[in-house]
Each structure stands twice: as C-alpha cells, then as structure tokens.
C-alpha cells in the first residue's frame, strides 16, 4: 500500500546542509521511501492514500547509538564519582537486580516508553549479563515495533560475583538469543557486547570475537572514555598498541560492524585503526560531562572521516531525549573551539546528519529520506507563533533546542506508525 505524506520535510543527505521541501510530499511503499518532491505530480502517486500533516515538520527519527537500558532506575542520580568507582558503587548493584525478570520487565517497559516519547526509533543497547532479562527487552522492542540491536553483556572479572558469568554460560546464553532472534525480525537483532576490556578475561574476549565471526554479528563496547580506565587497559593488555588494538586482537574492532562508545581520548594509532576498520564512534556528551571523562574531539574525528553517531549513555548520561544530545554535541564542540579556533564548532546540519544518516548507516539504509531508505520519521507540531517569521530550518532548530515530546505527533519506524507502548 502506497502512502504519500504532505508536510514541511527536512533531512540531511549531506552533512553540510538540509534538504528542505516546504509543503513537500514523500511517497512511502512497504516501509521504504520511494521519492520526495515539492509537487505531487513529480511522484508516482496515482493509487496512493494522501495524508496531509499541514504546517507540521516531517523529519527522520532519532537513533540512540549507545544506551544502557538497565541503568534507567539510576537516571539522574549518582553523579558524584568518576567512571570506575561509579560502576562499582552505583551501576553494578543496580544491574544485579536484573536477575529478576519481573523487575527487568517493569523497568524496561518504562525505558522503552521514554524512548518512544522522544522519538527514538532505533537504538544500540546494552542489557545485562542475564539472558532472560535481555530476552525480555528484545521482546518488548519487537512488540513496540521499534528497531534495536540488543546485547547480553559479557563480563567475568572486576565485578561483583552476581554479575560475573563464566565463558561457557555466556556462549550458551548468547547462542540461545541468536537462535531466537536472528530470523524472527530484522528490526530487533542481537549484538555482541563485551562490557569493556577490564570486565572481560582474554578467554571471554576471544569467545566474543568468535561469536561475532561465526554468526556475522555486530559488536559494541566502550573505548577510551576515562584516563584511569585507559591506564588500566594498558596494564591488562600490555602487548596492545592502544586500547582499540586490544579489541582488535580479539576480532572485536571492525571485523564485523563495530560501534565504540566515547572515544574521548582517541588519537594517533587508535584513530588510524578505527578509520581503517570503519569502526563507528558513539559520541555521548552528557555522559562525558557527568562522569567528568573529558570532551570528545568530535570535530577532529569527523574531519578525519570517522563514522559517528550520538548516544545518551544513561545513566552516565542523564537524558534520553536525543534532540538535546544534538545541542550538547554542538556545545562540546564550542568548548573545543574556545580553546583552539582552528577547530570549527559543529553546525546544526552537521549534528543532524551525525544523529540521523551517519548513525542510521549502522542499521542499513536508515536516517535519510532519499529513495530506498526505510521510512523512520517524526511529525513535529512545534506550535510556533508567527511561523512565517522563521525559516523552516530555524523552526527545526528551535524544536531541537527547546521543544519536547508533547510536540511529537506521530512516530514511524520502517513505515509503520508506532503507537504508545504499555507501561505498568
Ligand atoms: N564502561 C564500562 N561500563 C560502562 C557503563 O555502564 N557506562 C559507561 N559510561 N562506561 C562504561
Ligand atoms: Fe556506556
């Protein structure tokens, strides 16, 4: 069934400017964009149903490229420690509660509902070490119709006993989830998830690399977030040339599609390796502020040609609203600019492109409205008074900076309208 949506359409095909169709039309069939045009006559729309969104904005949906669903109960609390003591004192005790699937379901429903509110239609997500709770999270995404790569976390050292899982049990649980989810719906897929080098023995990292290769699955982890963490990794993996190289030695750094959160301190050989292996960066500005990790050099990483997306990283980050993440990414780049005027700060089209088309490429053809892209979209009623006094780009900018979830009227993932998920 073909549909044509009419609205003010904005998206970023290229990173340096918005494509803008004032009172434009977009044709969608079987979840895929067929064309965008200023006039209906330019589209093959003879038998299409036409839906008119009037004076609203129609934009690609948000992608959260790094988030810990089981940290939702800690969202907005415990900001008084840096990464390593923060994990031990606040994060691990909370994640241990996910041994109880009933607790997990309650929290995960709440988490998913918030993502839905803010128009995040695709995510790359950490679960916990628990297979049953991770299965629960994957089923909730399936029920909702929202896209996600979800990882059962691999972790067997430097953590409490109740979060440590031995290598055989990790492989068994992961293969169960792979069997259950790989062919059911490609919208929800498993992703290999070693927590980070300090959490995994060499045997466990090797097992993760082998599973990624055997099942051709993507990989996510953390990289070069905090200076104490980086020193610790160098002690644990003394032969590696960099933190990234430690993952690379286990087949966890671009051998299959890979995304690494943070990269605050990435430079030199690590940067070259990421570039060569097409490893994507998940930039998580709020997390970097709250855990006092540092300011990721996103302008430099972007100019080096690295693939980049944005992540909320709750509960290191405090905000699941990805539109605010665009603002924070610009503000971080402005702090760099204030130190060094040769590093131009990020522009609005650049961060929009990073959050949509660049991030979306991790899922396939997602994040743009070019023909062939999956129709992941949001309809925004920005409620602006005197709209004619703003350009459409300024209306979008204003929504990104000060808008909220009440202004998102419709959400689509792969062409399907996503209705409000149930919470209890
Ligand atoms: N490194 C290892 N685990 C975590 C986590 O849960 N959050 C953040 N921000 N960094 C990590
Ligand atoms: Fe994280």
């Amino acid at each position: 069934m073909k549909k044509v949506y009419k609205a003010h359409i904005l998206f970023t095909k290229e990173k340096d400017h918005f494509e803008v169709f004032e009172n434009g039309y977009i044709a969608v069939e079987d979840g895929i964009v067929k064309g965008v045009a200023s006039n209906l006559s330019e589209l093959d729309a003879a038998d299409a149903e036409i839906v008119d969104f009037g004076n609203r904005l129609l934009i690609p949906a948000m992608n959260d490229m790094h988030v810990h669903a089981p940290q939702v109960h800690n969202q907005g609390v415990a900001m008084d420690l840096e990464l390593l003591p923060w994990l031990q004192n606040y994060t691990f005790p909370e994640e241990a509660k996910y041994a109880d699937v009933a607790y997990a379901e309650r929290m995960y429903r709440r988490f998913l509902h918030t993502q839905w509110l803010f128009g995040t239609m695709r995510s790359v997500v950490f679960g916990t070490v628990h297979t049953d709770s991770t299965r629960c999270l994957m089923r909730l995404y399936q029920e909702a119709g929202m896209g996600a790569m979800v990882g059962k976390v691999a972790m067997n050292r430097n953590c409490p006993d109740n979060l440590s899982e031995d290598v055989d049990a990790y492989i068994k649980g992961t293969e169960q989830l792979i069997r259950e989810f790989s062919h059911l719906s490609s919208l929800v897929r498993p992703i290999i998830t070693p927590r980070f080098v300090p959490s995994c023995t060499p045997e466990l990292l090797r097992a993760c690399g082998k599973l990624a290769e055997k099942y051709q699955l993507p990989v996510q982890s953390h990289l070069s977030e905090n200076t104490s963490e980086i020193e610790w990794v160098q002690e644990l993996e003394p032969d590696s040339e960099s933190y990234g190289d430690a993952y690379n030695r286990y087949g966890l750094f671009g051998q299959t599609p890979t995304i690494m959160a943070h990269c605050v301190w990435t430079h030199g050989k690590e940067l070259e390796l990421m570039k060569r292996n097409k490893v994507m960066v998940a930039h998580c500005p709020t997390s970097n502020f709250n855990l006092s990790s540092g300011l990721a050099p996103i302008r430099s990483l972007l100019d080096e040609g690295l693939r980049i997306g944005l992540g909320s990283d709750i509960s290191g980050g405090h905000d699941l609203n990805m539109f605010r993440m665009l603002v924070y990414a610009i503000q971080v780049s402005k702090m760099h600019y204030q130190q060094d005027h040769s590093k131009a700060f990020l522009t609005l089209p650049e961060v929009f492109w990073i959050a949509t088309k660049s991030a979306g490429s991790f899922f396939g053809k997602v994040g743009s409205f070019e023909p062939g892209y999956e129709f992941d979209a949001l309809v925004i009623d920005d409620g602006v008074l005197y709209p004619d006094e703003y350009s459409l780009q300024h209306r979008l900018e204003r929504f990104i900076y000060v808008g909220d979830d009440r202004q998102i009227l419709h959400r689509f993932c792969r062409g399907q309208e996503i209705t409000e998920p149930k919470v209890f």
Side-chain angles (χ1 to χ4, degrees):
M1 176 64 194
K2 190 182 272 189
K3 288 205 174 183
V4 171
Y5 299 104
K6 177 172 181 289
H8 303 310
I9 300 167
L10 298 100
F11 61 101
T12 38
K13 184 175 165 190
E14 316 285 347
K15 64 172 176 278
D16 58 352
H17 68 278
F18 282 98
E19 310 294 323
V20 181
F21 293 83
E22 185 170 2
N23 293 308
Y25 297 85
I26 182 164
V28 179
E29 191 169 12
D30 299 327
I32 305 296
V33 176
K34 296 293 168 184
V36 191
S38 299
N39 298 302
L40 190 56
S41 58
E42 296 167 54
L43 297 172
D44 169 23
D47 52 354
E49 179 192 346
I50 297 180
V51 181
D52 187 351
F53 291 125
N55 192 28
R56 275 83 185 231
L57 310 177
L58 180 67
I59 60 171
M62 289 291 109
N63 306 297
D64 190 341
M65 303 308 286
H66 181 77
V67 60
H68 297 263
Q71 295 175 19
V72 65
H73 191 59
N74 281 353
Q75 192 183 359
V77 298
M79 305 294 186
D80 55 342
L81 294 173
E82 285 195 29
L83 174 66
L84 300 174
W86 173 85
L87 284 170
Q88 295 292 341
N89 285 283
Y90 301 121
T91 306
F92 292 157
E94 178 56 26
E95 290 193 12
K97 297 182 193 166
Y98 285 69
D100 174 359
V101 188
Y103 180 79
E105 180 173 355
R106 193 140 190 256
M107 287 298 164
Y108 282 157
R109 280 187 185 275
R110 206 162 262 231
F111 168 79
L112 219 83
H113 185 262
T114 310
Q115 286 200 311
W116 175 86
L117 276 178
F118 290 129
T120 300
M121 292 291 114
R122 308 256 180 173
S123 310
V124 184
V125 191
F126 273 59
T128 58
V129 296
H130 311 102
T131 302
D132 291 343
S133 293
T134 305
R135 178 188 296 109
C136 168
L137 179 58
M138 296 176 86
R139 288 203 177 139
L140 292 175
Y141 273 114
Q142 275 187 332
E143 269 174 45
M146 289 153 58
M149 293 182 179
V150 182
K152 168 182 153 68
V153 171
M155 166 152 69
N156 70 344
R157 68 173 171 187
N158 297 314
C159 61
D161 287 347
N162 59 2
L163 279 183
S164 180
E165 188 176 46
D166 72 42
V167 178
D168 289 342
Y170 165 73
I171 295 171
K172 189 161 167 256
T174 302
E175 288 190 320
Q176 268 173 21
L177 294 176
I178 292 169
R179 274 195 299 277
E180 289 169 41
F181 287 92
S182 284
H183 44 273
L184 270 179
S185 155
S186 57
L187 262 179
V188 180
R189 279 178 281 174
I191 180 166
I192 298 300
T193 306
R195 182 172 208 117
F196 68 157
V197 168
S199 293
C200 305
T201 60
E203 294 69 37
L204 185 56
L205 290 169
R206 205 166 294 122
C208 287
K210 282 195 179 143
L211 285 172
E213 188 195 9
K214 181 172 175 190
Y215 297 101
Q216 285 301 297
L217 289 174
V219 171
Q220 65 174 341
S221 194
H222 297 92
L223 179 66
S224 297
E225 176 177 5
N226 164 293
T227 50
S228 308
E229 170 210 19
I230 296 168
E231 281 168 26
W232 195 14
V233 170
Q234 194 55 51
E235 285 165 25
L236 292 167
E237 293 286 333
D239 296 337
S240 61
E241 287 189 335
S242 65
Y243 190 165
D245 184 45
Y247 289 119
N248 193 43
R249 286 162 183 247
Y250 297 102
L252 294 165
F253 210 61
Q255 288 76 8
T256 58
T258 300
I259 184 158
M260 288 284 160
H262 304 300
C263 307
V264 171
W265 302 101
T266 294
H267 67 284
K269 285 188 171 157
E270 181 167 284
L271 197 155
E272 291 306 315
L273 190 57
M274 290 189 82
K275 223 189 317 186
R276 218 167 34 247
N277 292 7
K278 300 189 168 53
V279 174
M280 187 181 277
V281 178
H283 173 40
C284 305
T286 55
S287 174
N288 298 159
F289 295 145
N290 295 331
L291 298 177
S292 228
S293 301
L295 304 172
I298 293 305
R299 163 59 67 201
S300 304
L301 300 180
L302 186 67
D303 287 354
E304 288 281 355
L306 253 69
R307 301 175 69 195
I308 307 177
L310 300 181
S312 66
D313 194 30
I314 68 155
S315 60
H318 59 277
D319 199 344
L320 276 169
N321 179 349
M322 291 308 296
F323 289 105
R324 291 295 191 271
M325 226 52 63
L326 275 74
V327 176
Y328 297 133
I330 291 175
Q331 290 173 337
V332 168
S333 74
K334 286 181 175 171
M335 293 179 204
H336 279 293
Y337 170 76
Q338 283 156 21
Q339 301 296 319
D340 176 357
H341 276 44
S342 74
K343 303 272 181 245
F345 51 77
L346 295 175
T347 65
L348 192 75
E350 280 176 328
V351 288
F352 197 84
W353 177 86
I354 286 172
T356 56
K357 186 170 175 180
S358 174
S361 70
F362 202 70
F363 304 101
K365 288 194 130 185
V366 169
S368 182
F369 288 156
E370 294 155 71
Y373 272 75
E374 299 185 26
F375 185 65
D376 283 22
L378 305 176
V379 177
I380 311 291
D381 185 350
D382 59 344
V384 64
L385 300 175
Y386 310 111
D388 294 345
E389 292 177 14
Y390 287 108
S391 67
L392 289 173
Q393 183 173 324
H394 277 163
R395 281 177 60 185
L396 177 57
E397 184 172 25
R398 185 175 167 279
F399 169 74
I400 289 169
Y401 272 80
V402 299
D404 65 51
D405 55 283
R406 291 168 299 180
Q407 296 171 340
I408 306 178
L409 292 196
H410 301 275
R411 299 147 177 87
F412 296 89
C413 185
R414 200 182 270 172
Q416 197 198 338
E417 179 152 10
I418 306 302
T419 53
E420 185 166 2
K422 287 195 183 65
V423 184
F424 58 76

